[in-house]
Amino acid sequence: MDSSSGGGSNNYPTVTVANDSVITSVVGTPSQQQSPVMNNSQPATTPPPSLTIGGGMMPMEVDTHNVNHTSSTGQGGQHHQFPPGPQQNTQQSPNSSLQNGENSSSLGGSGSGAGGSAELASKMNGNAGTHMTEAEKNALMVVLSFLKKHNLKDTEESLKKEAHIAETDIRGSLPMDSDVHTVLSSYANDENPDEYTDAYNQLKNFIDTSLDAYKYEVGQILWPVFVHMYLELVYNEHESQANSFFLRFSKMQETFHETDLISLGSIMKKEHLVHSENPFRSLAGGLYSSGKPGSPTSGLYVVRMSREAQSLLKRFLQEKRLKLVQNIVQDRIHIEVYDGIPRGKAAIHAVAGHLMGEALKQDNKAKVYYGLLREPDLQNVQMDEDDEEGGAAAGTSTSTGGNTSESQSAPSTQPSTSQSGAKTDPQSNAQGTPGGGEKSSKKKKSKKDWLLSKKGKNDPNAPPITRMPLPELRDVDKIEKAKALREAAKRVTLGPDKMPSVCFYTILNGDHQVTYVKWSEDGTLMAIGFASSLIKVWTMTPAKLRKLKPASDLAEIDREADDVLVRMMDDHSAEPNRCLRGHSGPVYSLDFAPDKAYLLSSSEDCSIRLWSLLTWTCLVVYKGHLFPVWKAVFSPHGGYYFASAGYDCTARLWATDSYTALRVFAGHYSDVTAILFHPNSNYIATGSSDRSVRLWDCVSGSCVRLMTGHKGTIHALHFSADGRFLVSSAADSKVLVWDLANGNLLTCLNMHKSTVYSLSFSREGSVLATGGLDYCVRLWDFMKMIEDVVTEEGGATIPPDVKKISADGLLIGEFYTKATPIYSLHFTRRNILLASGPFIY
Amino acid sequence: MADRDSPGGMQGGSPSGGAPVGGVGVTACSAMLYVDSVKAMAESVGISNLQDDAAKDLAEDVTYRLKCIIQDAAKFMELGRRIKLNVHDIDHALKVRNIEPLYGLGGPEALPFRFASGGGREIHFIEDKELELSEVVNAPIPKVPQDVCLRAHWLAIEGVQPSIPENPPPQSKDQQRSDSIDPTNKNSKGTKGKGLGPFTPTVGKPLKFKTSEQVFVKQLATHELSVEQQLYYKEITEACVGSDEIRRSEALQSLSNDPGLYEMLPRLCTFIAEGVRVNVVHYNLALLIYLMRMVKSLLDNQTLYLEKYLHEIIPSIVTCIVSKQLCLRPDQDNHWALRDFASRLMAQVCKNYTTSTNNIQTRMTKLFGSALNNEKAPLASVYGAIAGLGELGNEVVKVFIVPMISEIGVRVEFCLDGVGHSQADKTSAQKIKALVVKLACPILKSARKSPDVLEEYKSEFGYFAASLHVGVVALRNQDQKAAVVSPSVRPPTQPIGAGPSKGL
C-alpha cells in the first residue's frame, strides 16, 4: 500500500485485501503484450529436449513472460512502483553489454546467452518494434536456432518475417553448437603420447627438489598441467596412456582435488569429452577461466606467484625444453606475477580450491560500498506505534508477537538459570492497561533515542541512498523496525564472557524429508521445506496462524474500528501450523519477507513461488530458471526485491511485481548454491559449487568480488552486522571469513567435521554461530577475529599470513546435539540463539 | 561418498570395484560395468549374441553416463541436506537431463544390495518380489505415519549445556574411558571442552603450557551437584530401596536409560557400597537384592563407563555372592537367587571392564577358586563361589570346578548323609549338588568320549558320579534327537536361572 493512502492513526496492511479485488483486473495485460512468438515457443514447464544439448546456448529465453497466472502480485499501486521508464533503461544497458561480452566469448559455460533473452523479453513488453540492440539480435538468433533444430519451420518462417531477418544474417552471427569442437580442437596434436608421463615427472621432480621458499608457489601449476595433459591424451585418443597417466599422477594431487579427480577420471574417451551431456566438457572448454568473461584471462587457469618463483619456472622450462609443459603453461595458464616474498604452503592452500585457480588482483579492485544505509528516522513512527500497541492490547495480542516470542520460545523445561532477558520479559506492555503502556513507552523512548543517535551516523563506506532504487518504507515496516529497536534495547550483549542461551527445536518424524528450515527475522515464525514439496509454517507464539476472512465478510468490517486488524482475521481458521502446497518437487529454500506477510520458496520444479501468509495461498509463480532453483532470498529492504540462484549457473535479481528477472548474474562455472543480499541491498553475494564466492553489484550487474579458498560446494553465506565482512561455509566443513574491502581471506574456521549448513551472527555482531551435519553448534568470537583488521584500517595489500588464518582461540563454545544436524540458526532480537534441525534415526 | 554408487539405476549391474570409499580418483577411474553384466542385460532383453567389442563399448559408455548421473544426483543429495543418496536424487538428476525418471523404484530407505554367485558369475541385485495384486488391494490400510512436529529444549543456557535427556551426555563413554586410562588427558581435554564457562581461559592456553613443560596440576574435580541432581539422587535412591515396586521399576528404568548420570555416579556407587555393607550385617536380603538391581541398571546404562567406580562395586557384588549368610532364615529364604543374580552381574562386569592392566577376571577367578578350596568355608559360600565361577564361562568351569568335583562331593556327602547338620546346610548341599551337575555335565559331555562308563565316573568324581553320569547321558541322547529333528538347533547350554525377584 502506498503511504499516502494509509495515513492517519490506523495504519494496517491492506495489501492483500486490495489484492483480491485488483488481481483480476491486472492480469492479462502483461501477457497480452507478448509477441506471438514468445507465446508459441515454449511449453511452459518442461524444458525442451534440446536444453542440455544446446551447449553454451541454454535457451533461458523460454522464460517467464508467457505464463498466464491468474494470481499475480497486485501491480496497480499495491506495491512500490519502480519508476519505470529511465530506470529500466539505465539498468539494462550495462547488463546487456555484459551479456554481449559473454556471448561473444563463447567460453562462459552454460550461463551465457541467458541474460540477453531476458532483456529481450522485457524490452518486448515495453517498446516492441523499435530498433533492435545487439543483445536482442543475439537472443533472436538463439530462438531461431532452437526452432530450426526442432524443425518448427512455420514458426521459424513467421518469426523471420516479423523480425526482418534475412538468411544471411543468421550465418556467422550465432555461435553454433559446434563451438565446443572448436574449443576442444586446440587439444589436437600429434605428440608422442608416451612423452607426457616423462614430462610431468620431470616437472614434478623439479618442483620437489626446488627450494622450499618457491616450492609451493611453483607447485600450483602441477594441478592444471595434470588436468590439461590428461585431457590432451584423452582427446587424441591415447586411452591406455591416459589411463596410466591418470593412475600414476592422480595420487600425487592435493587431497582437496579429490572430487575433481573423480569427475575427471570418468572422462575416458574422446566421445565423453565432446559429449553434450558431459558436465566436465566445460572443464576443457571454458571452465578454467577466471575473472570477467571476455577479459584477456578468460579461459585460463590463474596462478599467482612471486617474481622469483616465476623466473625459476621460466628458467626450468627453457632449459629442459619440455614442449608439452611449455605449451600448457603458455596457452592455458595465466600467471600473475607479484613483487614480494613467496608465500608458504598454508597461505597457498588457504586460497586454493576454486576450479579456475585463484582470483586475480584486478577482480577485486572495484570499490564496494559495504557500509550500511542510514537507518530511517523512526521518531514519527513511535507515536503511531504506541497507538498501535494500545489498540492491539485492547483486543487480543496478535501484534505483540515480537514480545511474546521470547518467552514462548523457551520450552517448558526452562530451567531457573535461563537468560535474564528472556525471563524478565515484561509482558506488561501488551497486557497492561493502555495507560500503563503509554507510561512505559515513554520511558523507553529515551533509550530508543540513544540507539537512534548511534545508528544515525553516516557511514563513510555506505552507498549513496539513491544508488539503488529501494522501496520507501511503509508504515508497517516502520512499526516493525521500531519494535525491533525496542527489543534491541533489552538484549544481552554477547561475548566470550557472556554466552548466549541456545534453544533447540528438534523436528521429529521428519523422516529424511526436511530440506530447509527458515526463521522469520523476529523469530516468531518458522517455515520448513520438505522433499515432498510441502511447506509448513509454524508459529512460535501463542498467537495462532489465522487466515484472512473471505472478501464478502471483509466488506462488512468497519474500516475505522480500532481492532480492524484483528477483525480481518478469521478466528475459526486459527491453527498452530499451516501447510502451503503448490510445488511439485523438493523445496530447497524458503525466506520470509521482512514484514512476515509473504513467504518465498524455491524448488526443484524450477519455479519460485511467492506465498501470502495472510490468505495462505500462492500469489505468484516466477518461472525464469529452467533448472532447479537452489535458493531464493528477499532483500532486507521492504521485501520488494528478491534474488534466486540455481542449477543453471546463474543468479537472478527479481522484483516481486515483475514476471521477469531484472538482472541475470552469469559468471559462476557451476551451480549457484547460496545467495544473500548485502544488508544495504546494493550487492548480492553468491556461492557456488565451483567453490568460489562472488559479490555482484545489483546496479551495474557486474561481479565486483571473487573470493576463492573453499574446497567444496558453498552452502551458506552471511554478512557481518556492519556489512564489511562476509562469512561463507561449505561442504568442505570450513567456515571462511572474508573482508569485502579488498576481498581478502581473513580467517578459516576449521573445527567442524562435516558440511556447515547454517550461519548466524548475534544481533550486535560479536558472536558467530555455525552449525551443520556434524550435530554441533559452535560459537566463535567474531570481535577477536576482526580486531586486527579493524584497527589497522589501511588494509593490507598482501593476503594475510598463516597465523591469522588459523582459528586458534576463536572458538568460545561448542554444543553437541544427540543426533540432530543443524539446519538453521537464528539469533532473536534479544540474542537468544534459536537452532533447529530434524532428528535423524 | 560411499553411498553414491549404491542404490538406483544400476539394476543387475555389478560395479567391479564397488563404491569408491574415500579413495582419490583412482578407484573412480577403475570402477566399470562388467562386460559380462552388459551381456547378461542384453540377454535379458533378447539380444543373444552381443559382440565382445560392442559389449565393451557399451559398458564404457554406460559407465560414463552413470557416473555423470550419479555425480549430479549427489548434488541433489547435498542440497537436500542428507548424507544418504536416495532414489529420488537419481530421478531428479535424470529429470535435469530430460530423461524420464525410472518409476516404481522408489521404496523404503536403504535398499539392501543382495549378492549372489553361481555359474561362475557374481551378481549384485535388488530383491524384487512379485506381488499378488489382490493381496495388495485387500491388504489393510497401513497406519498413518506420525505427523511432523517440533520439540524444544535448551541446548545451552548462558553457555552451559544442561544435562537433560535431550542433550548428549556431558562426557561420552569413549571420553570417560580415555579419562580413566589416562587422567592427564582429562586435564587438557577438560579445559578444552569446558572452555565454555565464563571465566575459563581460552583454548589456546593449555597448549602453550604443554610446550613450556609446565607440570600439570591435577585439577580438583568439583563434585557439586545441581539442585535438580540432588533431588534426582534423593528420589532415585528412595525409590530403589523403598517398598513401592512400581516406583522402584521406574527408578531402575531411569538409571539404566538416563544419559546424564555421569556426574552422579560417584554418589550412587557409594550409596550401593555403603548399603551392601550395612545390610549384609543385618541380613537384610530384600535390600541387598534391591541394591544389586541398581548395580544391574547402572551396568546396563549405555552412556556410563564404570571403571573408576569398580573398587566400590566389585566388593559389593562379591559380598552378595560368597557371604556366608545373607538372610535371617537361611533355611527358608531364597538367598540362592541373590547369589545367582550377583554372579551374573560379576560376569557382566568382567566382560565389560576387564583389561590387561586391571585383570578383573583373573582376580575374580582366583578369589572364587580360593573360596572353593577353603575347607572351612561354609557351604553357602562354596555355593556362591561355584555360581560365580560358573558364570565366567565353560573354560573356567573346566579348569576350576571339574577338578574339584570329588572334593566338593565329599563335603556335600558329609553334609547330606551325616547327622547333626542344620536344615540350612542340607539345603545348601543339595543346591550345590544341583548346580555342580548343571555346570559340569555339558563340559564333561564335550570333554569325554562316549560311551560313558559309570565306574570311571565313580573313580573320578566320587559322590557326584551317579548324577553326573545320568546328566551326561541325558544330554547325549538329547543331542542325538535334536540332530534327527533339525541339525541346526542346539539345546541351550547356558543354564537359565530364576530371577531374584521371583524368589521372593
Side-chain angles (χ1 to χ4, degrees):
Chain A
M1 96 187 158
D2 67 26
S3 42
S4 63
S5 77
S9 58
N10 39 5
N11 292 316
Y12 48 84
T14 52
V15 185
T16 26
V17 194
N19 262 352
D20 268 349
S21 53
V22 173
I23 284 168
T24 41
S25 64
V26 177
V27 169
T29 25
S31 52
Q32 276 156 20
Q33 286 173 5
Q34 304 273 317
S35 88
V37 180
M38 298 311 286
N39 273 337
N40 291 341
S41 67
Q42 194 39 82
T45 43
T46 44
S50 75
L51 288 197
T52 45
I53 306 163
M57 308 315 302
M58 294 295 186
M60 306 290 177
E61 73 281 4
V62 276
D63 230 328
T64 51
H65 6 100
N66 54 349
V67 184
N68 281 316
H69 312 293
T70 43
S71 55
S72 72
T73 38
Q75 294 211 319
Q78 299 317 311
H79 282 270
H80 262 281
Q81 282 294 322
F82 226 117
Q87 204 68 55
Q88 226 46 343
N89 287 339
T90 48
Q91 282 173 357
Q92 261 148 26
S93 48
N95 196 14
S96 53
S97 67
L98 166 76
Q99 295 306 330
N100 280 345
E102 271 230 343
N103 281 348
S104 56
S105 79
S106 80
L107 290 171
S110 50
S112 62
S117 49
E119 274 353 10
L120 168 78
S122 57
K123 284 272 158 112
M124 281 175 101
N125 277 342
N127 48 352
T130 54
H131 186 67
M132 263 192 287
T133 68
E134 194 62 26
E136 289 165 4
K137 213 168 192 174
N138 272 348
L140 260 183
M141 294 304 163
V142 178
V143 177
L144 279 174
S145 74
F146 171 77
L147 294 173
K148 196 163 198 167
K149 187 163 220 156
H150 291 270
N151 227 6
L152 304 166
K153 280 207 177 111
D154 290 348
T155 323
E156 194 189 339
E157 284 306 314
S158 57
L159 176 61
K160 271 186 203 161
K161 238 180 251 167
E162 211 163 335
H164 310 290
I165 300 173
E167 193 68 29
T168 46
D169 287 348
I170 295 172
R171 306 209 191 289
S173 67
L174 198 67
M176 295 307 285
D177 194 33
S178 60
D179 61 344
V180 181
H181 291 275
T182 54
V183 172
L184 285 176
S185 63
S186 65
Y187 274 126
N189 61 19
D190 44 6
E191 298 291 340
N192 180 359
D194 301 321
E195 276 173 19
Y196 284 84
T197 311
D198 187 44
Y200 193 79
N201 225 1
Q202 284 198 39
L203 179 70
K204 176 118 184 84
N205 282 339
F206 155 71
I207 287 165
D208 285 348
T209 52
S210 56
L211 281 176
D212 268 5
Y214 310 118
K215 197 173 180 173
Y216 302 108
E217 288 230 306
V218 182
Q220 293 176 89
I221 68 161
L222 279 173
W223 167 246
V225 168
F226 167 77
V227 171
H228 285 294
M229 276 190 163
Y230 178 72
L231 291 179
E232 234 169 81
L233 281 171
V234 170
Y235 187 81
N236 293 310
E237 300 185 59
H238 308 301
E239 277 155 36
S240 60
Q241 283 95 340
N243 198 19
S244 62
F245 180 82
F246 187 88
L247 284 177
R248 175 153 181 203
F249 295 114
S250 60
K251 278 171 272 178
M252 301 176 185
Q253 304 303 325
E254 299 286 354
T255 43
F256 55 79
H257 288 308
E258 186 184 322
T259 39
D260 289 330
L261 281 171
I262 290 172
S263 311
L264 191 66
S266 56
I267 302 173
M268 297 170 82
K269 293 184 140 195
K270 189 180 173 182
E271 295 89 82
H272 298 164
L273 205 56
V274 251
H275 189 255
S276 61
E277 274 185 29
N278 173 10
F280 324 107
R281 187 190 51 188
S282 43
L283 200 84
L287 196 67
Y288 280 92
S289 66
S290 174
K292 298 180 181 83
S295 69
T297 56
S298 156
L300 303 178
Y301 187 94
V302 176
V303 173
R304 294 187 74 224
M305 50 174 89
S306 64
R307 196 165 292 285
E308 291 92 340
Q310 191 243 2
S311 58
L312 192 72
L313 177 68
K314 218 169 167 183
R315 219 176 314 139
F316 164 75
L317 290 176
Q318 277 164 1
E319 270 173 27
K320 296 278 175 172
R321 300 186 182 285
L322 290 173
K323 203 179 133 218
L324 285 169
V325 180
Q326 228 163 351
N327 283 346
I328 290 174
V329 171
Q330 260 167 24
D331 300 345
R332 303 188 184 277
I333 299 176
H334 175 81
I335 299 181
E336 192 181 60
V337 183
Y338 67 87
D339 294 306
I341 316 152
R343 294 173 294 170
K345 187 179 180 182
I348 286 171
H349 271 214
V351 291
H354 180 32
L355 285 177
M356 291 90 72
E358 249 180 277
L360 283 169
K361 200 90 221 158
Q362 66 178 49
D363 288 337
N364 294 333
K365 272 275 161 64
K367 168 139 178 77
V368 170
Y369 299 100
Y370 53 77
L372 301 185
L373 292 175
R374 205 193 145 118
E375 281 294 309
D377 189 16
L378 294 175
Q379 298 287 357
N380 313 335
V381 188
Q382 277 155 31
M383 290 319 292
D384 294 353
E385 183 228 350
D386 290 341
D387 290 351
E388 161 83 14
E389 190 111 339
T396 51
S397 61
T398 28
S399 65
T400 54
N403 282 344
T404 45
S405 75
E406 297 302 329
S407 57
Q408 286 311 314
S409 65
S412 53
T413 54
Q414 180 180 14
S416 51
T417 47
S418 85
Q419 202 153 356
S420 54
K423 265 204 76 185
T424 56
D425 183 10
Q427 296 284 305
S428 54
N429 259 2
Q431 286 146 12
T433 57
E438 257 167 51
K439 222 181 199 176
S440 64
S441 70
K442 256 176 208 163
K443 254 187 247 161
K444 249 154 238 146
K445 209 175 230 174
S446 56
K447 260 187 197 169
K448 257 184 274 172
D449 287 345
W450 172 76
L451 276 165
L452 282 175
S453 63
K454 198 180 150 201
K455 285 213 165 179
K457 260 190 260 169
N458 254 344
D459 192 331
N461 289 310
I465 192 91
T466 49
R467 188 166 181 273
M468 169 119 175
L470 292 171
E472 247 174 64
L473 276 190
R474 295 170 301 166
D475 291 351
V476 200
D477 299 328
K478 284 185 185 165
I479 291 168
E480 196 63 34
K481 282 209 183 251
K483 223 186 259 171
L485 265 184
R486 175 182 295 181
E487 289 282 311
K490 289 182 206 151
R491 79 173 165 226
V492 192
T493 307
L494 297 177
D497 298 342
K498 187 72 189 168
M499 299 283 285
S501 295
V502 187
C503 184
F504 202 99
Y505 285 85
T506 313
I507 303 162
L508 299 173
N509 309 321
D511 205 20
H512 302 278
Q513 291 280 305
V514 178
T515 50
Y516 199 83
V517 180
K518 179 75 190 177
W519 295 90
S520 67
E521 194 269 343
D522 60 358
T524 56
L525 294 178
M526 180 172 139
I528 303 178
F530 291 89
S532 58
S533 75
L534 183 73
I535 300 165
K536 262 192 165 187
V537 181
W538 262 268
T539 170
M540 295 295 148
T541 65
K544 291 190 171 169
L545 301 176
R546 280 161 234 268
K547 215 171 149 177
L548 211 60
K549 282 181 182 166
S552 53
D553 293 358
L554 282 175
E556 292 166 13
I557 295 175
D558 173 17
R559 296 258 217 119
E560 300 301 315
D562 281 348
D563 58 344
V564 68
L565 271 183
V566 182
R567 287 199 199 175
M568 269 161 55
M569 308 312 280
D570 187 1
D571 272 345
H572 300 293
S573 63
E575 275 175 51
N577 66 67
R578 283 186 165 276
C579 295
L580 298 170
R581 294 187 177 86
H583 279 295
S584 60
V587 178
Y588 285 120
S589 84
L590 296 162
D591 198 17
F592 286 99
D595 62 357
K596 292 188 294 170
Y598 302 105
L599 180 76
L600 200 64
S601 65
S602 77
S603 159
E604 186 271 339
D605 64 10
C606 316
S607 69
I608 303 161
R609 278 172 187 260
L610 182 73
W611 308 83
S612 162
L613 299 188
L614 294 172
T615 60
W616 298 96
T617 50
C618 179
L619 296 178
V620 200
V621 185
Y622 300 97
K623 295 183 179 176
H625 288 279
L626 279 175
F627 288 105
V629 190
W630 297 132
K631 280 272 159 65
V633 286
F634 265 117
S635 138
H637 284 94
Y640 175 69
Y641 294 109
F642 66 93
S644 66
Y647 182 97
D648 55 13
C649 311
T650 63
R652 292 164 193 235
L653 173 72
W654 307 72
T656 40
D657 58 3
S658 147
Y659 291 130
T660 51
L662 304 175
R663 293 280 178 280
V664 178
F665 303 110
H668 277 295
Y669 294 88
S670 186
D671 305 36
V672 186
T673 47
I675 191 162
L676 189 69
F677 269 95
H678 191 274
N680 67 24
S681 283
N682 279 249
Y683 298 92
I684 287 176
T686 56
S688 162
S689 53
D690 71 5
R691 289 158 232 160
S692 67
V693 177
R694 282 171 191 263
L695 190 73
W696 306 86
D697 188 342
C698 292
V699 178
S700 69
S702 57
C703 175
V704 288
R705 287 285 178 275
L706 168 61
M707 291 163 283
T708 64
H710 273 298
K711 277 105 188 140
T713 305
I714 288 142
H715 284 290
L717 295 165
H718 213 293
F719 284 98
S720 67
D722 60 358
R724 174 164 178 185
F725 302 98
L726 176 64
V727 185
S728 61
S729 71
D732 59 0
S733 64
K734 290 187 173 68
V735 178
L736 302 187
V737 183
W738 312 93
D739 184 355
L740 290 181
N742 45 24
N744 282 348
L745 176 67
L746 267 191
T747 313
C748 172
L749 310 172
N750 52 5
M751 298 284 278
H752 277 281
K753 293 178 186 67
S754 187
T755 312
V756 183
Y757 277 116
S758 51
L759 301 168
S760 183
F761 270 107
S762 67
R763 288 299 170 124
E764 75 282 354
S766 57
V767 170
L768 169 68
T770 58
L773 287 186
D774 59 354
Y775 305 154
C776 184
V777 177
R778 288 190 166 82
L779 301 172
W780 309 86
D781 185 352
F782 193 70
M783 283 302 142
K784 199 170 169 192
M785 236 179 264
I786 59 171
E787 64 188 358
D788 299 346
V789 191
V790 177
T791 47
E792 71 190 46
E793 207 44 69
T797 44
I798 317 161
D801 57 304
V802 195
K803 260 183 251 160
K804 276 192 211 158
I805 292 171
S806 71
D808 273 357
L810 296 173
L811 183 72
I812 50 175
E814 57 180 346
F815 308 111
Y816 280 93
T817 65
K818 261 182 170 171
T820 313
I822 290 93
Y823 279 18
S824 172
L825 288 168
H826 181 79
F827 275 98
T828 64
R829 287 171 179 169
R830 293 188 191 179
N831 272 340
I832 290 180
L833 181 57
L834 303 178
S836 158
F839 183 66
I840 305 283
Y841 42 88
Chain B
M1 199 170 315
D3 296 315
R4 287 188 192 171
D5 277 5
S6 22
M10 305 208 6
Q11 324 135 276
S14 57
S16 65
V21 184
V24 175
V26 186
T27 37
C29 190
S30 56
M32 286 281 287
L33 211 62
Y34 278 144
V35 173
D36 283 351
S37 9
V38 173
K39 281 188 177 166
M41 282 180 245
E43 272 169 37
S44 72
V45 292
I47 303 165
S48 52
N49 49 351
L50 192 68
Q51 297 289 311
D52 270 0
D53 288 350
K56 187 169 167 281
D57 266 12
L58 268 175
E60 280 176 2
D61 199 58
V62 171
T63 306
Y64 168 73
R65 279 159 202 265
L66 280 179
K67 279 180 184 171
C68 290
I69 289 169
I70 290 165
Q71 283 174 19
D72 237 16
K75 237 182 230 177
F76 284 90
M77 170 192 79
E78 222 180 284
L79 269 296
R81 310 196 167 190
R82 277 173 282 115
I83 42 171
K84 254 189 198 156
L85 192 78
N86 67 23
V87 182
H88 298 294
D89 293 329
I90 304 272
D91 284 349
H92 293 143
L94 289 172
K95 220 170 124 189
V96 158
R97 273 147 212 284
N98 225 30
I99 305 169
E100 192 159 349
L102 301 163
Y103 294 113
L105 285 178
E109 287 297 310
L111 287 174
F113 244 131
R114 299 292 182 80
F115 176 76
S117 61
R121 286 211 283 209
E122 294 175 337
I123 289 179
H124 292 273
F125 68 101
I126 298 169
E127 203 167 21
D128 198 4
K129 277 188 214 149
E130 267 182 38
L131 296 172
E132 193 72 43
L133 191 60
S134 57
E135 266 176 39
V136 177
V137 172
N138 294 328
I141 297 167
K143 257 198 207 159
V144 179
Q146 295 240 301
D147 196 15
V148 179
C149 59
L150 293 178
R151 185 194 165 95
H153 73 271
W154 287 111
L155 187 67
I157 297 162
E158 296 187 340
V160 181
Q161 191 161 27
S163 27
I164 46 175
E166 285 89 346
N167 286 331
Q171 270 191 306
S172 71
K173 206 170 177 185
D174 291 338
Q175 207 180 337
Q176 291 175 33
R177 180 172 296 150
S178 62
D179 285 355
S180 65
I181 292 165
D182 180 12
T184 52
N185 191 12
K186 188 189 170 187
N187 277 352
S188 55
K189 249 197 198 143
T191 37
K192 208 172 188 176
K194 299 209 166 133
L196 329 168
F199 301 109
T200 35
T202 44
V203 188
K205 274 196 177 162
L207 297 174
K208 274 181 208 153
F209 278 107
K210 220 170 213 171
T211 48
S212 60
E213 290 191 17
Q214 192 154 346
V215 181
F216 271 119
V217 181
K218 189 170 192 268
Q219 287 178 338
L220 282 175
T222 51
H223 287 296
E224 228 172 78
L225 295 186
S226 67
V227 182
E228 290 90 345
Q229 283 171 322
Q230 289 174 24
L231 276 176
Y232 177 84
Y233 172 79
K234 193 164 161 265
E235 286 284 312
I236 286 284
T237 48
E238 276 177 11
C240 280
V241 297
S243 54
D244 187 343
E245 185 59 36
I246 299 164
R247 274 192 75 200
R248 178 164 27 253
S249 58
E250 280 171 2
L252 292 173
Q253 180 76 17
S254 165
L255 280 180
S256 60
N257 289 328
D258 217 310
L261 294 180
Y262 175 70
E263 286 171 357
M264 272 181 282
L265 207 47
R267 318 271 168 146
L268 288 169
C269 289
T270 313
F271 176 83
I272 291 167
E274 289 295 317
V276 169
R277 198 176 312 178
V278 170
N279 286 301
V280 86
V281 177
H282 292 149
Y283 306 129
N284 197 339
L285 181 64
L287 274 178
L288 288 174
I289 289 174
Y290 297 153
L291 290 168
M292 283 303 109
R293 287 172 73 184
M294 278 179 81
V295 174
K296 169 84 174 150
S297 296
L298 290 178
L299 278 172
D300 286 346
N301 192 323
Q302 288 304 313
T303 61
L304 295 177
Y305 191 69
L306 294 176
E307 207 207 19
K308 272 195 271 186
Y309 309 101
L310 290 182
H311 66 280
E312 286 183 323
I313 293 175
I314 289 181
S316 308
I317 301 176
V318 173
T319 305
C320 290
I321 298 175
V322 295
S323 174
K324 64 182 176 198
Q325 195 178 346
L326 290 167
C327 49
L328 281 174
R329 294 159 300 170
D331 46 339
Q332 290 169 26
D333 291 341
N334 189 356
H335 60 98
W336 318 106
L338 174 60
R339 290 179 202 271
D340 288 340
F341 182 62
S343 306
R344 281 200 293 278
L345 286 181
M346 198 61 237
Q348 200 177 343
V349 170
C350 289
K351 201 172 126 227
N352 291 349
Y353 296 104
T354 195
T355 60
S356 55
T357 44
N358 62 20
N359 285 327
I360 294 173
Q361 172 138 8
T362 330
R363 284 154 69 184
M364 283 305 117
T365 337
K366 266 188 197 149
L367 189 106
F368 290 137
S370 68
L372 203 54
N373 281 324
N374 188 353
E375 295 274 325
K376 289 187 187 106
L379 282 175
S381 303
V382 173
Y383 175 86
I386 296 173
L389 287 170
E391 290 293 336
L392 292 177
N394 286 345
E395 205 55 33
V396 175
V397 174
K398 199 171 167 182
V399 175
F400 283 87
I401 297 181
V402 173
M404 297 286 293
I405 287 180
S406 60
E407 283 167 49
I408 302 168
V410 172
R411 286 196 67 181
V412 169
E413 185 179 15
F414 174 68
C415 198
L416 281 178
D417 299 348
V419 282
H421 293 283
S422 66
Q423 184 58 37
D425 278 352
K426 285 195 170 156
T427 332
S428 304
Q430 268 160 1
K431 282 275 179 187
I432 290 175
K433 188 179 170 189
L435 185 64
V436 167
V437 170
K438 194 169 71 180
L439 290 173
C441 281
I443 307 289
L444 292 179
K445 191 200 82 185
S446 52
R448 301 173 74 99
K449 289 197 181 84
S450 61
D452 301 295
V453 184
L454 186 56
E455 291 309 310
E456 284 175 24
Y457 273 70
K458 270 190 179 151
S459 65
E460 205 170 323
F461 303 120
Y463 179 70
F464 290 133
S467 0
L468 284 174
H469 183 256
V470 173
V472 172
V473 170
L475 274 180
R476 285 200 206 278
N477 289 342
Q478 213 175 332
D479 260 12
Q480 278 166 359
K481 266 188 209 159
V484 174
V485 179
S486 75
S488 63
V489 180
R490 297 230 152 178
T493 46
Q494 279 293 315
I496 302 161
S501 51
K502 282 181 195 164
L504 296 161

